[in-house]
Each structure stands twice: as structure tokens, then as C-alpha cells.
Amino acid sequence: MDLDEDRETMGLLGHTHQNGIYKRYVQPFLAELVGTTLFLYVATMSHTISGLSPLAQGFVFVVLVGSLGHISGAHFNPAVTLAALLCGAIRIIPAVTYVGAQVTGAVLGAALCRGSMKNTSYVNISGGALRVYTNESSPHQQQFVVDSGNAVVVEMMLTTLLILCILMTAIDTKGKTLMAPLTIGFAIGAGAFAGSSTTGGAMNPVRAFGPAVAFTTFDDTVWDNHWIYWVGPFSGSILAAIIYRLFLAHDDRRLLFKKIN
């Protein structure tokens, strides 16, 4: 997750020397594109198994972070990239390219899900799309009707959990650990389970965006309340970054109490 020092000491699983435009910009872009595509494909396809999608999302994130983390830091989520930017772990130009790769990968992954099943099956799972029901009864017994404000709080708090986990285990100078892929996967699974009855537990704007784009030809109401999946995760990302920078970061990144042991 950490891209500071010109990516010479970047990666979840070790230190890899990176030189040249390809390794600094193109290869990380491709890793984010491929990783986000695969994540969205698994996340949407796993909706065919009732109630187990959070588990699948956690598992695939463990795999993707472990395999692609040494190339791009394995963000696969604009909220993660925002937090990394705020914490000085990535620069603005790579951050922008990362978000472009994530948005594109999300649409590709959701489109591949669409191409992997018949129309009836695809519609039955709503293309793996996430929704918040605020004004009328939910057609799904497992999902409650909530106020938009409640939904924003859910996404904000679950994203805060995820981002703090990433900052403390994959970015923090002292806290980096080989267990980062596992802890991040658990955080995603736990958040998706916790939010399953309200927002679906996206914690990731493109997790909602990609499936919405792919499913909109079948039901354009999928965009109702879609803004929640951007405001909530970005708010959680900012909150987590503030907590980290002010109180929890190691001395090189903590803004307060640097001389207090």
C-alpha cells in the first residue's frame, strides 16, 4: 500500500527496487486494473450463493493483496488510495492513475460477470449490484429500509475499520507485517457481513459503481441513492487518515506527541 520514497521501498510483502517509467507508473496501473477487475468479478459472481458473498470478497482480497501488493500496493479501492495520499504513502499523479484503473477495472469485472451467466440468473442477483432502500419496502427479506443518513454512517464506519487496518498493517513504518493480506481480507469480510442488511457493506465506491453500470440496462433504479457509496467510504477514509496521522502512526508520520513514548 505504501508508495513513498519513489517506490524503492514499496510493497506489502517486502522491499522491491523499482526503476523507470514502466515500473513506477505503468506496471502499478496494470496491477490495479487487473486486481480490481478480478475482485469485482468474484464479488459479483459470488452473489449467486446466498449470504456468502462477504466471505468470497474477503478471500479474494487476501489472494490479490498477497500476489499484487509488491507491484502497486494492492489498493483496488479509491477510498484506500485517498487515505494513502493523505498519509503521504502515494503521490498525487500515481493516485489519480490508480483511481482511473480502479474505476475501469470495476466496470470490466462487472461486465465479465454479466457475460458469464444467462439473463435470468443475472437479473436474479441484480448483477451483484448494491442498493440502499430508503423510501419503500425492500424486495429482499435480508435487507432493511434505512434512512440515507443511516446508510452513510454505516459505510463510513465500516470503511474506517478497513482503512485503519490497512494503514496500521500495510503502510505504517513500524506496523508493516506479512500478515497484512490476511488482516485486510478479514476486515473486508467482516465489514461486508456487518453491512449486508443495510448497504451491503461496500466500503469501496467502485464496488458499487461497476455493477451499477453493468446492470443499468436491466434496471436503472440501481442508481437510486448511489451517492451513498461514494460519500460514505470517502468520509470513512478521511476519518481513518485523521485518526492515524494524529494519534496512531509511527513517529515519522504522526503529527502529534512525537516526543512522547
Side-chain angles (χ1 to χ4, degrees), residues 1 11-13 28 30-43 56-77 105-106 109 180-182 184-185 188 204:
M1 302 284 176
L12 294 177
L13 304 176
L30 293 175
E32 287 294 305
L33 176 65
V34 171
T36 309
T37 299
L38 293 173
F39 172 65
L40 261 293
Y41 182 74
V42 171
Q57 292 180 62
F59 282 162
V60 74
F61 227 86
V62 171
V63 173
L64 293 172
V65 171
S67 57
L68 297 175
H70 68 287
I71 298 176
S72 70
H75 294 192
F76 314 137
N77 181 344
L182 191 60
I184 294 168
I188 288 175
N204 183 344

Side-chain angles (χ1 to χ4, degrees), residues 54-206:
L55 199 60
Q57 292 180 62
F59 282 162
V60 74
F61 227 86
V62 171
V63 173
L64 293 172
V65 171
S67 57
L68 297 175
H70 68 287
I71 298 176
S72 70
H75 294 192
F76 314 137
N77 181 344
V80 174
T81 302
L82 174 61
L85 179 65
L86 294 175
C87 295
I90 189 173
R91 297 175 180 177
I92 184 66
I93 294 177
V96 171
T97 64
Y98 271 37
V99 173
Q102 292 155 5
V103 171
T104 305
V107 175
L108 286 175
L112 287 169
C113 171
R114 167 68 187 87
S116 297
M117 58 182 67
K118 294 182 178 180
N119 285 352
T120 53
S121 301
Y122 183 71
V123 171
N124 284 340
I125 65 167
S126 297
L130 301 178
R131 305 190 195 204
V132 174
Y133 297 97
T134 57
N135 297 321
E136 56 187 33
S137 297
S138 168
H140 303 293
Q141 294 181 354
Q142 294 84 8
Q143 192 160 347
F144 303 138
V145 176
V146 295
D147 293 333
S148 57
N150 300 143
V152 169
V153 171
V154 170
E155 284 295 317
M156 180 181 71
M157 294 308 298
L158 296 179
T159 306
T160 300
L161 167 67
L162 172 62
I163 300 299
L164 276 177
C165 174
I166 292 170
L167 292 175
M168 296 306 298
T169 65
I171 288 179
D172 189 69
T173 307
K174 189 175 181 179
K176 285 181 182 180
T177 171
L178 293 176
M179 295 294 290
L182 191 60
T183 59
I184 294 168
F186 276 131
I188 288 175
F193 271 122
S196 61
S197 62
T198 50
T199 65
M203 302 167 284
N204 183 344
V206 300

Side-chain angles (χ1 to χ4, degrees), residues 189-234:
F193 271 122
S196 61
S197 62
T198 50
T199 65
M203 302 167 284
N204 183 344
V206 300
R207 167 63 185 90
F209 180 76
V213 171
F215 191 65
T216 191
T217 56
F218 294 92
D219 182 2
D220 60 9
T221 64
V222 72
W223 294 105
D224 293 350
N225 303 306
H226 182 77
W227 61 271
I228 290 169
Y229 294 108
W230 294 83
V231 174
F234 281 138

